[in-house]
Every structure is written in structure tokens, then in C-alpha cells.
Amino acid sequence: MSLESQPQQQTRYTRVRVHDENDFKRLYPLILDYVREPELALSVKEFVFRCHLPYHELYLRKTNRPEALRAEENARDISQEHTISQLVTGLGLQEKERPDWIRILTWMKPELVAAREEALAGDERSFEVRPFYTHRTKLFAHYASAILLLLCPNIEILKYEEGSRVIENVLRRNNYGVFPATRLQKLREVTLLPTTQMTLGDERFYVNLDLLAMLRLFHRLPAVESVSTGGVGPDEDGGYLDRFPPAVSNLKKINVEHAFYGTSVIGPLIKVPRRLEEFTFTTGGRNNLDGGYTCRSPKTIGKALYEQKSSLRKIDIDIDEFIGGGDSDDEDEPRNDPWYTKDLEISTRPSATAQAGNTREYGNTIVSMHDFESLTHLSIGIGLLLGPRAFNADETKEAPFRLAEALPKSLEYLLIRGYERGKVPKYDAQIDELLRSRQDRLPSLRELHGIDETIPIAVSIENPDDNYDALWMPEVSDESWLEVIA
């Protein structure tokens, strides 16, 4: 069937979703519509990808039929697929990879779908081959999603479930300018979704997400402003990226909630933007699968925040569950990492916080913020602010600053977590001094929380099966296809 004879959908969408089989069926006609009439793609503002690819095709019994089908599909003639061939060539995909793209993208051609459905309907042993078809259709959805992301120039919001090598490969190359033209020039907001794969995506635990590696999919795009994720942590067994050149992105807002990363990720993360305005990092609400803890150095985090002191407006950090130790920054740069090298070429700051030098006395705290000239909102744990109790509980180990003098005059909102009057005398002394000098030292402060009432710090859930109600679960929002209203 030629392109001209394919039915046109002609529906204009503002949101495209890739999640289930009903979504998959829409993608091939949609691609053809956007190739035939590019103006139709201009209405897409949001793209939602929630579709993990199973690692293996699961069969009830051993059979050679899937391999025969695979060989048949690999031998399918694609020499007349001119439209898709021109598409992948025009987008800049490499010549050696084009045959795979053409073959997989045409998997959902109506005549091929009809032939498969007819064959399955007449097959008494269809269970022997259905997993092959299901896996191949999901694979098509990944390839089609990558193409649609390149075809829709006005996408502003991307929600992406981690785990698609196909999409990540395309987005990474686009982000670093490998393609002839950089797409997604208007992308502003990115939400990174942890995998929903049955085993790895168990929502009782922090789900593995290589956060810094995910930034490489979009951080250099000109309009990108915010990234958010939640319920995630590093893959301690498989490894994760913990180096990133600073000041290489236009990101302004970073929101990481209920996460289990340590300083090796938090420090570089804070420094990636050129001018960070809002930073949220909280832990708790999930269980750590291996039962361990993670190192979070107040000094390293404080030094990273200091590099953003002229632009930061809002800080919300809730990590008092595990803090302590000295400066944990490592100055070694990764070897044989071309993406790191590309970022290093445009970086304007030292790549390690230790190279920036100690600008002030930290002690075992996050640092005095008196010269964070733009800061209006601060939510923080008492331990991170004045030193954790485990390391700094007696009168001889005071914080190297007075709290009343360590907060900026621009501050309008202050929330302190974990403070209980009478528990730690030196905390009480600092808080009392703050209250006495509040009007003079903090003239803009309108809201102060956590003094008369204790606001608990976030903690991980030790026995999730027995404490299911305490688990953090992401909010469920409407992400269905959304049409343009005339």
C-alpha cells in the first residue's frame, strides 16, 4: 500500500501518549500523517512515554516457531518502503542502522497487521508465537516514539520512562548535536519516570535510575528549564554516572523527591546548570533494597550550592536521615567518555568542587548562606543546617557561624525539620538567638515553621510490607491523548 493510499487521521493532538496496545496502533498512521503534512505535528506540546520493553520473550514451552518468524521478518523485503527510508535518512540516522529502523517502523503497516491477526486467529497453537508478536510490537513503539520526538518541533513537556535504549540513543545524539539539525528546541520540562518493569520497578523500593546519565538526553537543549523525578536511587551493582562538568545547561529547576542518591550524585547535579534557581532533594518513603545507607557530605553539598548562590531562589533539602563526614568530592575525570569531553569543552567552572577551594568555614554543616542574595524560600533539616547530632552534639562542636547571621536578608520563608526543643542545647541556643534577632536580621521573613512544632525528617521504610501506608507513591494524573479543541 502506497503512502497516498494510507488513510489519514487528520486529528490534531496536543498530547501524545505511548503506553499500551491501543496507543501503539495509532503511531504508524500518525508518523505517515506527519511526513505527509508536517504542519499537523506542530500542535503536539506534550509527549508521554510509559512503555518498558521486556528483557526476554516469555514462552510457556520451548518451540522453534519464534525463531522461524524472526528469520522471516529479517528477510522481509523493504526495498519499496521509500517513505520511511526517506524519513530516517532525512533525520540523519546512520546508513548502517537504517535497514533496522525501516523494518521495525513498517512492522505496523495495516496490511501486515491484518495478515498477522488472520494468522493468529486460525492458529490453534498461537500461544507459541504470540510473545514474539507482542515483543516486536513493543519494540516498534520504542522506535516510533523516537521518530515522533524528532518530528514534533513544538514539544515542551516530556515524560519519559527510563529504559529504552533506542529512544535514549536518539535523544542523546540529538542533545549533543550529532544529527544534522538539533530537534526539540522548545522542550522546557522533563519528568524522568523509573521503570515499571515487574521486578526492577517494585515501588516498595527505590528504583534504579542513573540520574546524571539521563541528563545527557536533554540538558544542552536551549529551552530546557526543569527536570524532576521521584522514588529512585543509584544502581550500586550495575554502576552509575557520578561525574558531570558544571555550568553546561540552561536548567533552572531540579526536583528530586524520595530518592536515595549520595553526595557523588547530588554534588554534580547541583552544579550542572549555569544558573540554578530552584533545588529540591528529599529522601524517604521507600526501602533500600540492599539495606545499606548512603554517604551525604554537608560540606560537599554546601560547596555545590555556593556555586549557585547568586541565582538560587528556593532550596528544599530533606536528607538528615544520613548525613556526615567530610568533603567527599573526587577530582578524577572519567576516561574514554566522549560525552563528558563534549560537555567539558563548554564548561566555565572547575569540574570538581574541591578545585573551587574552601570559600568559608563549613564545619560539618551545609555552610552559611548569608550572601545567597536571591534566596527567598529555605526548607532544611536542623542537622544539615547546624551539624548532625551524631557528630556535633556537644557544646565544644558548635557550627562555625551563628544561625541568625547565616541566613540571607532576602529570606521570606523558613522551614526547619527535625528540631525538638530541649533535645540538643546548642540547637536551642541558636534558635533562641534567631528568634530574638529575627526582625533586625531577617526583615523579609514572613513564615517560620518547625520551631514550636516539630516537623519530622524524611526516613526510609524498613519493612515496606508491614508499613505499606507509609510508602510514597507518585501521584496519578491524566496522561491520555489530548486533541486540539477547535
Side-chain angles (χ1 to χ4, degrees):
M1 184 181 291
S2 68
L3 175 63
E4 290 71 21
S5 61
Q6 293 280 3
Q8 287 184 267
Q9 297 188 118
Q10 287 297 341
T11 304
R12 296 175 185 268
Y13 297 100
T14 59
R15 181 193 296 133
V16 172
R17 183 190 68 179
V18 181
H19 176 59
D20 56 29
E21 187 174 349
N22 290 328
D23 299 332
F24 304 161
K25 293 177 180 179
R26 297 189 186 198
L27 301 183
Y28 183 74
L30 195 64
I31 290 173
L32 294 187
D33 279 354
Y34 290 172
V35 171
R36 179 166 37 205
E37 196 170 341
E39 191 267 341
L40 292 173
L42 301 181
S43 63
V44 180
K45 304 293 185 181
E46 181 178 355
F47 196 96
V48 180
F49 180 85
R50 289 182 179 269
C51 175
H52 68 272
L53 191 66
Y55 292 126
H56 306 287
E57 300 162 17
L58 300 178
Y59 297 93
L60 296 177
R61 64 182 64 182
K62 188 175 181 180
T63 172
N64 293 325
R65 293 182 66 191
E67 291 307 314
L69 288 173
R70 201 181 324 275
E72 179 182 328
E73 174 62 15
N74 290 338
R76 176 165 60 88
D77 181 19
I78 57 172
S79 62
Q80 301 304 307
E81 304 290 356
H82 301 302
T83 300
I84 299 299
S85 177
Q86 291 172 5
L87 171 62
V88 298
T89 300
L91 290 175
L93 295 169
Q94 297 176 358
E95 185 174 358
K96 63 181 180 181
E97 60 183 337
R98 290 173 199 164
D100 286 340
W101 279 85
I102 296 169
R103 183 167 282 107
I104 294 171
L105 287 173
T106 54
W107 170 260
M108 292 297 283
K109 290 180 66 174
E111 58 267 37
L112 296 180
V113 173
R116 289 196 297 271
E117 291 178 347
E118 182 179 356
L120 285 171
D123 188 348
E124 294 182 354
R125 304 179 67 83
S126 62
F127 60 86
E128 294 181 342
V129 295
R130 196 174 293 277
F132 169 78
Y133 288 137
T134 300
H135 187 274
R136 192 75 178 186
T137 299
K138 277 200 170 184
L139 185 63
F140 157 80
H142 285 228
Y143 277 75
S145 296
I147 291 294
L148 286 169
L149 284 167
L150 299 182
L151 286 178
C152 300
N154 292 330
I155 291 176
E156 298 178 1
I157 300 172
L158 172 62
K159 296 180 180 179
Y160 169 72
E161 179 180 330
E162 178 269 343
S164 172
R165 294 182 180 179
V166 174
I167 295 177
E168 289 170 18
N169 187 20
V170 166
L171 289 181
R172 191 180 303 110
R173 284 190 283 174
N174 179 69
N175 184 46
Y176 283 91
V178 175
F179 292 138
T182 301
R183 315 287 175 137
L184 294 172
Q185 295 271 330
K186 296 183 179 180
L187 182 64
R188 294 186 297 104
E189 302 177 17
V190 178
T191 300
L192 298 172
L193 306 169
T195 180
T196 56
Q197 196 268 345
M198 185 178 298
T199 303
L200 299 179
D202 190 333
E203 290 188 328
R204 295 172 300 170
F205 305 97
Y206 298 104
V207 180
N208 292 340
L209 181 78
D210 195 344
L211 182 53
L212 293 178
M214 289 294 100
L215 293 188
R216 289 179 167 180
L217 308 184
F218 56 84
H219 76 287
R220 294 163 67 114
L221 298 176
V224 70
E225 293 181 356
S226 71
V227 59
S228 61
T229 189
V232 292
D235 184 353
E236 298 290 355
D237 295 325
Y240 56 93
L241 190 66
D242 59 1
R243 302 288 187 277
F244 214 107
V248 292
S249 175
N250 290 334
L251 278 168
K252 295 179 175 61
K253 301 176 183 179
I254 296 176
N255 187 307
V256 182
E257 298 183 287
H258 305 279
F260 203 68
Y261 299 106
T263 308
S264 62
V265 172
I266 300 173
L269 178 65
I270 293 170
K271 298 187 297 176
V272 168
R274 297 181 180 92
R275 290 183 59 81
L276 180 62
E277 295 181 3
E278 298 183 18
F279 180 71
T280 297
F281 189 97
T282 68
T283 189
R286 294 283 179 92
N287 179 262
N288 183 27
L289 190 58
D290 64 10
Y293 68 93
T294 187
C295 173
R296 300 190 184 106
S297 162
K299 183 177 181 179
T300 301
I301 296 171
K303 288 167 70 175
L305 290 172
Y306 179 79
E307 294 189 27
Q308 305 282 4
K309 67 183 179 69
S310 65
S311 57
L312 272 168
R313 295 186 297 106
K314 296 182 179 181
I315 298 175
D316 184 355
I317 306 184
D318 189 359
I319 59 172
D320 276 25
E321 180 183 26
F322 296 120
I323 54 173
D327 194 358
S328 62
D329 193 42
D330 192 332
E331 297 186 21
D332 292 340
E333 295 181 356
R335 299 178 180 179
N336 303 319
D337 186 341
W339 307 119
Y340 184 94
T341 302
K342 284 180 175 290
D343 281 328
L344 198 59
E345 292 171 354
I346 65 172
S347 174
T348 57
R349 295 182 193 151
S351 58
T353 33
Q355 296 176 5
N358 290 323
T359 57
R360 59 194 65 193
E361 185 67 28
Y362 287 79
N364 201 18
T365 73
I366 198 171
V367 76
S368 168
M369 299 182 180
H370 70 273
D371 53 354
F372 282 47
E373 57 195 41
S374 300
L375 190 64
T376 60
H377 290 67
L378 175 63
S379 300
I380 192 169
I382 190 72
L384 190 61
L385 188 61
L386 295 175
R389 293 178 61 182
F391 296 91
N392 195 9
D394 60 67
E395 293 292 336
T396 65
K397 294 184 179 180
E398 286 278 2
F401 51 76
R402 305 310 298 169
L403 180 58
E405 300 174 352
L407 299 173
K409 291 184 179 298
S410 57
L411 201 63
E412 300 174 6
Y413 177 95
L414 175 61
L415 182 147
I416 298 176
R417 299 183 179 98
Y419 171 65
E420 296 180 73
R421 181 167 290 279
K423 292 288 187 179
V424 181
K426 71 170 184 298
Y427 289 172
D428 294 338
Q430 290 268 27
I431 294 296
D432 287 341
E433 183 179 341
L434 172 67
L435 294 175
R436 287 194 302 269
S437 59
R438 171 180 174 177
Q439 290 186 345
D440 293 333
R441 298 295 307 175
L442 301 172
S444 300
L445 189 63
R446 295 194 293 268
E447 294 187 51
L448 177 58
H449 304 278
I451 306 301
D452 298 323
E453 79 285 10
T454 298
I455 299 174
I457 64 170
V459 294
S460 298
I461 309 302
E462 290 191 2
N463 300 300
D465 291 332
D466 297 330
N467 297 282
Y468 188 83
D469 291 341
L471 291 172
W472 173 80
M473 294 295 172
E475 294 183 5
V476 178
S477 59
D478 182 12
E479 296 174 344
S480 58
W481 292 67
L482 193 61
E483 297 181 11
V484 173
I485 300 176

